[in-house]
Amino acid sequence: MASSDFLSEILTEVDTDITSELNLDPLGMLVVWSTFGQAIFQHRISSVSHDVRNFTLNLFNHWVIKTLVEDATITLGSRMKNDPAYAGRGKESMAFKQACLIYLENLFVYSMIEQERRATTSGVIGISKARQRWSQTEGNPRLLFSHTPEAHVLVRQHSLGVAGRYKTPLVEMGFFDRRYDYAIPNQRDHWMDVDELGKRSKRLDKLRKLVVQHLAVLVSENAAKPYRDYQHIESSLKRAFVEAFKSPQEVGKYSRDFWLRASNLDEGAAGALGQVMSKTMSGVDSHGSNDLPLFNEQVFQRAQDTSGLDQGERLKLQHVQDLEPFLGEVDLLFTLTLSAKEQSLDDIERKWTGLGRDNDTLPRLRQRVVLSPLLRESTQGLANFRLEGLLKCAEPGDIAELVSRVIDFHSAIMTKRGQSPWVRQQSDGTIHSDVRVRDVPLRRDRPVGKWIHEYYLPQFRNLLSGFGGET
């Protein structure tokens, strides 16, 4: 297999952490807090995968592909079958499955553009690029059946499209593995549930039949990369795509129960958080009052009070409550080092104490992390390395020692990334910043221990809203 083909089979999903690591995460905290967030949500949601329509669209596309793969009467044209990218595996090859995913994503987005008066296009991945193509072709773009970039509407569509963004959740739920193999252990019940979902949603079942019929003809043609101009695709198929995926709210109505079972997000720590947020979204919080909205720390506190929660799941919630106040204070101290182009340690100390902090603030919050049961044991690899480094920054000492440790830790991270540090400490102790000056927050806006990371709660709230048929 050519190296480019090998890489295309591996690099098929988006990794938003990479961008954040390089540009927005000067203390390397993302890998720490996301580890604890994903322990709760089991990689079912992320910063880019939290929309019920896109979840369902991706699953539907794979349902179609699974049908094509398992139907022996559907055969590939000779030129496609002999394509080196298919490596003799035909419909089982990654290249074939990627071509299906790209074609179906493009057909969906163009159908939504054509019928947008009947549908909600907000949240449709790739629609801006698709609109440009639609305009350039006067409403008749060409859809190419291929895994190669020339078939893409989005740049790097394998990773930035629906399939890439929503791949990990479906892998974690057990619908297929990372190479899109549907015949994996314990997947049978999942796909039986999908079949049942299709039976309950007539629009989804009708669409699947139309799509399979369309693709069966397309892939049998004697072309390495068969295509269809949009206006030559059956109108009934395009209308059916929009009917089935008209809006996240419509999709949520017919798929809510399915996704809760498939994801297990209604159980354990995630389920407890969901109960609290569902009640607040309906206008009454878990304590029966109307003091909305709740802060994230309040959501976690109330979720931990949920009856019947086992100790392991309760600890996941406790870990976040013990960790986040510490992370927030380290971040604040680093922010103060960026609050002037040049300043002394005395300047930073005045700002720190002016915000109600002292030399004991960080060591005290550090101790809460150290004493939290099994918290440090819950991390491994890079997350553990980063957490231990942050804890060392906050060992007891005066403000000068704390600042020096935080700057050194930041410098080590940036050097590892091959980038220049944002801030430097001169030999005379002066702190020099090389980036945009950061504002010092007001004391009332930044109480000690204020949370700055969200642990995927906004994404989970968005998913729950979709489940409930809400905006």
Side-chain angles (χ1 to χ4, degrees):
M1 182 185 296
S3 60
S4 60
D5 294 329
F6 176 74
L7 288 174
S8 72
E9 293 206 2
I10 296 174
L11 302 177
T12 55
E13 54 196 298
V14 69
D15 186 352
T16 53
D17 292 0
I18 292 175
T19 300
S20 297
E21 274 278 305
L22 292 177
N23 300 318
L24 304 175
D25 189 31
L27 293 176
M29 290 184 181
L30 187 148
V31 70
V32 178
W33 70 258
S34 65
T35 293
F36 288 90
Q38 290 298 357
I40 293 170
F41 295 111
Q42 306 169 69
H43 298 275
R44 269 50 169 177
I45 57 175
S46 74
S47 59
V48 295
S49 54
H50 51 84
D51 178 275
V52 67
R53 175 166 61 181
N54 289 324
F55 260 109
T56 310
L57 175 64
N58 192 32
L59 180 65
F60 171 81
N61 291 345
H62 282 285
W63 189 26
V64 168
I65 298 168
K66 184 174 182 290
T67 303
L68 295 174
V69 169
E70 294 177 351
D71 189 340
T73 67
I74 298 175
T75 58
L76 304 184
S78 58
R79 292 185 65 187
M80 186 183 296
K81 189 184 301 182
N82 294 326
D83 188 328
Y86 287 25
R89 302 188 68 223
K91 294 185 294 183
E92 288 286 2
S93 67
M94 176 70 92
F96 175 78
K97 294 170 183 176
Q98 287 179 335
C100 288
L101 291 168
I102 294 296
Y103 189 90
L104 292 174
E105 287 179 20
N106 294 346
L107 178 54
F108 166 70
V109 72
Y110 287 135
S111 298
M112 292 293 285
I113 291 172
E114 183 183 41
Q115 304 173 65
E116 61 184 330
R117 291 183 179 179
R118 301 172 49 233
T120 301
T121 57
S122 175
V124 172
I125 295 172
I127 196 162
S128 295
K129 290 288 185 182
R131 285 189 197 283
Q132 295 175 17
R133 190 80 58 87
W134 183 268
S135 177
Q136 292 166 357
T137 61
E138 299 182 340
N140 192 26
R142 175 160 293 181
L143 285 83
L144 188 67
F145 187 89
S146 172
H147 69 293
T148 60
E150 60 188 313
H152 297 186
V153 170
L154 274 175
V155 175
R156 292 176 58 218
Q157 190 165 335
H158 287 315
S159 59
L160 298 179
V162 176
R165 291 171 184 255
Y166 287 79
K167 178 179 181 178
T168 294
L170 295 190
V171 170
E172 293 294 329
M173 292 179 207
F175 287 100
F176 45 80
D177 66 14
R178 295 196 175 278
R179 293 179 61 83
Y180 298 142
D181 184 355
Y182 305 109
I184 59 174
N186 304 318
Q187 53 74 39
R188 181 178 175 82
D189 289 345
H190 289 301
W191 288 108
M192 288 177 62
D193 285 346
V194 176
D195 290 336
E196 286 298 317
L197 174 64
K199 291 177 183 177
R200 290 194 302 274
S201 173
K202 301 301 182 184
R203 287 176 292 180
L204 210 58
D205 192 51
K206 174 185 176 182
L207 176 61
R208 182 181 68 94
K209 291 173 182 176
L210 290 172
V211 170
V212 169
Q213 291 170 5
H214 174 81
L215 287 177
V217 173
L218 183 69
V219 302
S220 68
E221 295 177 356
N222 190 28
K225 298 176 181 178
Y227 67 87
R228 288 290 186 274
D229 290 331
Y230 181 78
Q231 295 301 335
H232 292 162
I233 296 174
E234 305 91 320
S235 295
S236 58
L237 169 55
K238 294 180 286 191
R239 285 196 302 270
F241 237 131
V242 174
E243 282 301 314
F245 295 100
K246 186 179 298 184
S247 71
Q249 296 74 39
E250 289 295 319
V251 175
K253 289 176 182 177
Y254 69 70
S255 66
R256 175 186 183 277
D257 292 341
F258 167 83
W259 282 118
L260 286 176
R261 282 196 308 275
S263 67
N264 296 321
L265 289 176
D266 58 344
E267 301 176 359
L273 291 169
Q275 287 182 39
V276 174
M277 289 194 290
S278 293
K279 291 176 180 177
T280 60
M281 286 190 292
S282 67
V284 178
D285 73 11
S286 57
H287 288 193
S289 62
N290 291 307
D291 57 340
L292 304 179
L294 295 178
F295 294 112
N296 289 341
E297 49 264 52
Q298 293 174 303
V299 174
F300 270 83
Q301 289 165 3
R302 296 185 184 185
Q304 196 169 10
D305 293 336
T306 303
S307 60
L309 200 60
D310 72 41
Q311 185 60 22
E313 294 299 302
R314 200 177 300 277
L315 266 181
K316 292 178 182 179
L317 299 172
Q318 185 62 55
H319 286 164
V320 171
Q321 295 175 78
D322 291 335
L323 174 68
E324 180 54 24
F326 168 71
L327 295 183
E329 292 304 300
V330 177
D331 177 84
L332 176 61
L333 183 59
F334 182 72
T335 297
L336 295 184
T337 69
L338 305 175
S339 61
K341 282 297 181 182
E342 282 199 3
Q343 57 185 325
S344 67
L345 287 167
D346 287 341
D347 293 330
I348 293 177
E349 183 171 13
R350 278 192 293 272
K351 295 172 183 177
W352 183 248
T353 57
L355 289 168
R357 277 74 173 174
D358 56 29
N359 290 348
D360 186 54
T361 302
L362 273 179
R364 175 170 49 81
L365 292 173
R366 172 190 182 276
Q367 192 69 359
R368 181 175 172 183
V369 174
V370 171
L371 295 178
S372 183
L374 301 177
L375 188 154
R376 295 161 81 181
E377 292 85 346
S378 299
T379 61
Q380 55 185 341
L382 181 59
N384 180 264
F385 180 78
R386 291 275 176 80
L387 177 58
E388 293 300 321
L390 289 164
L391 291 172
K392 287 179 181 177
C393 289
E395 289 176 349
D398 59 28
I399 191 68
E401 292 174 295
L402 294 173
V403 169
S404 294
R405 290 185 206 137
V406 169
I407 291 176
D408 288 346
F409 182 69
H410 161 71
S411 296
I413 288 174
M414 300 303 280
T415 299
K416 185 84 171 178
R417 295 172 182 167
Q419 295 184 325
S420 299
W422 294 5
V423 62
R424 297 171 283 118
Q425 186 168 13
Q426 312 278 34
S427 58
D428 62 357
T430 302
I431 309 300
H432 180 85
S433 172
D434 294 316
V435 296
R436 177 180 58 83
V437 171
R438 304 300 197 262
D439 293 331
V440 177
L442 297 175
R443 182 169 178 170
R444 67 172 180 268
D445 295 332
R446 196 66 184 256
V448 175
K450 181 179 174 64
W451 288 30
I452 63 169
H453 303 113
E454 296 180 310
Y455 297 87
Y456 304 108
L457 285 192
Q459 290 80 12
F460 191 35
R461 186 177 288 110
N462 187 67
L463 187 61
L464 292 174
S465 296
F467 286 164
E470 303 170 9
T471 55

